[in-house]
């Protein structure tokens, strides 16, 4: 009995340690999921959001059906890069800690709205489009967007610390340099995601008649 209690307490301590170490990733993942659900809900129950989702879906599909590789690649890359850039800029300010999760949630809402409308308009065909075209590229870009958001929140926390009253002087140059390097590295999977979108997603969608 005591042995079981010790094991349970050990597992509990491990869980607490895991939460403390990864709370930022968990928070950002939760924000994305909430955004995904919220975007899906609004698309079903709000006429204004539904109209926007219909236009966005139409543009999304038409681009991947009619445009060439580089046009699709550039469009996909700029979307992910735009979110990455906003997160990076916010990370250099004191408001980054509070606003970066909102940006991640907004990205989830856009994706949830798109996926819900694709399913609503095309039913079974929409499920296949979501599974083969939208989800694979979104998983890659969102995953590394969350990682970049974590780095932005970490830098923003450092900025907050030096603005507090009676805080000791601190050189943020190493933190800024490390943040910039990590952000540049994260461009690689975003480029990969755009390549998959321009080739794989467009190829998958081209099998359907609209």
């Amino acid at each position: 009995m005591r042995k079981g209690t010790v094991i349970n307490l050990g597992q509990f301590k491990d869980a607490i340690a895991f939460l403390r170490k990864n709370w930022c990733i968990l928070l950002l993942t939760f924000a994305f999921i909430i955004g995904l659900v919220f975007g899906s809900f609004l698309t079903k129950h709000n006429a204004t959001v539904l109209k926007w989702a219909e236009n966005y879906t139409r543009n999304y599909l038409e681009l991947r059906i009619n445009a060439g590789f580089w046009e699709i690649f550039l469009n996909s890359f700029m979307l992910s890069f735009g979110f990455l850039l906003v997160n990076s800029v916010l990370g250099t300010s004191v408001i980054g800690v509070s606003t970066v999760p909102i940006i991640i949630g907004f990205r989830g809402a856009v994706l949830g709205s798109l996926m819900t409308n694709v399913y609503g308009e095309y039913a079974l065909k929409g499920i296949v489009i979501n599974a083969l075209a939208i989800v694979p590229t979104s998983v890659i870009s969102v995953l590394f967007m969350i990682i970049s958001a974590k780095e932005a929140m970490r830098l923003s926390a450092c900025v907050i610390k030096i603005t507090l009253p009676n805080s000791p002087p601190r050189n943020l140059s190493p933190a800024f340099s490390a943040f910039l390097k990590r952000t540049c590295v994260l461009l690689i999977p975003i480029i990969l995601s755009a390549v998959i979108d321009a080739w794989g997603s467009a190829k998958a969608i081209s099998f359907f008649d609209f």
Side-chain angles (χ1 to χ4, degrees):
M1 187 73 166
R2 289 181 179 177
K3 185 177 180 181
T5 303
V6 171
I7 292 175
N8 289 336
L9 287 175
Q11 292 174 341
F12 179 74
K13 288 180 180 178
D14 290 342
I16 294 298
F18 176 82
L19 291 175
R20 286 179 177 175
K21 185 177 181 180
N22 299 282
W23 68 269
C24 190
I25 289 289
L26 294 173
L27 172 64
L28 291 166
T29 303
F30 181 72
F32 173 77
I33 294 173
I34 290 297
L36 197 71
V37 173
F38 188 65
S40 177
F41 176 83
L42 283 182
T43 303
K44 291 179 179 178
H45 297 91
N46 186 283
T48 302
V49 175
L50 175 60
K51 185 176 181 180
W52 174 86
E54 289 173 345
N55 290 332
Y56 183 67
T57 300
R58 191 179 306 110
N59 293 335
Y60 178 91
L61 294 175
E62 285 180 356
L63 176 70
R64 282 151 185 81
I65 293 171
N66 301 321
F69 175 90
W70 290 110
E71 186 176 351
I72 301 172
F73 170 84
L74 185 61
N75 179 273
S76 180
F77 173 78
M78 291 306 297
L79 176 63
S80 297
F81 179 73
F83 280 99
L84 177 66
L85 183 62
V86 170
N87 283 338
S88 300
V89 171
L90 290 173
T92 63
S93 68
V94 294
I95 64 172
V97 170
S98 59
T99 55
V100 166
I102 296 175
I103 300 299
I104 296 297
F106 178 74
R107 180 70 181 97
V110 171
L111 184 59
S113 183
L114 172 65
M115 293 176 65
T116 299
N117 191 65
V118 167
Y119 171 72
E121 284 197 32
Y122 302 107
L124 183 60
K125 187 189 295 184
I127 295 177
V128 177
I129 293 172
N130 278 327
L132 297 181
I134 299 176
V135 172
T137 55
S138 298
V139 166
I140 297 174
S141 63
V142 169
L143 174 63
F144 288 96
M145 197 177 299
I146 287 176
I147 295 174
S148 74
K150 175 191 172 184
E151 298 297 329
M153 290 180 68
R154 179 185 295 178
L155 180 61
S156 179
C158 294
V159 175
I160 290 175
K161 288 179 181 178
I162 66 172
T163 62
L164 295 175
N166 302 321
S167 61
R170 183 178 179 182
N171 183 11
L172 285 183
S173 295
F176 273 107
S177 177
F179 174 71
L180 183 60
K181 289 177 182 177
R182 293 188 185 108
T183 302
C184 290
V185 170
L186 288 171
L187 286 174
I188 297 174
I190 288 179
I191 292 173
L192 175 62
S193 173
V195 169
I196 294 174
D197 191 8
W199 182 78
S201 298
K203 196 174 184 65
I205 292 175
S206 66
F207 286 109
F208 299 100
D209 295 323
F210 294 93

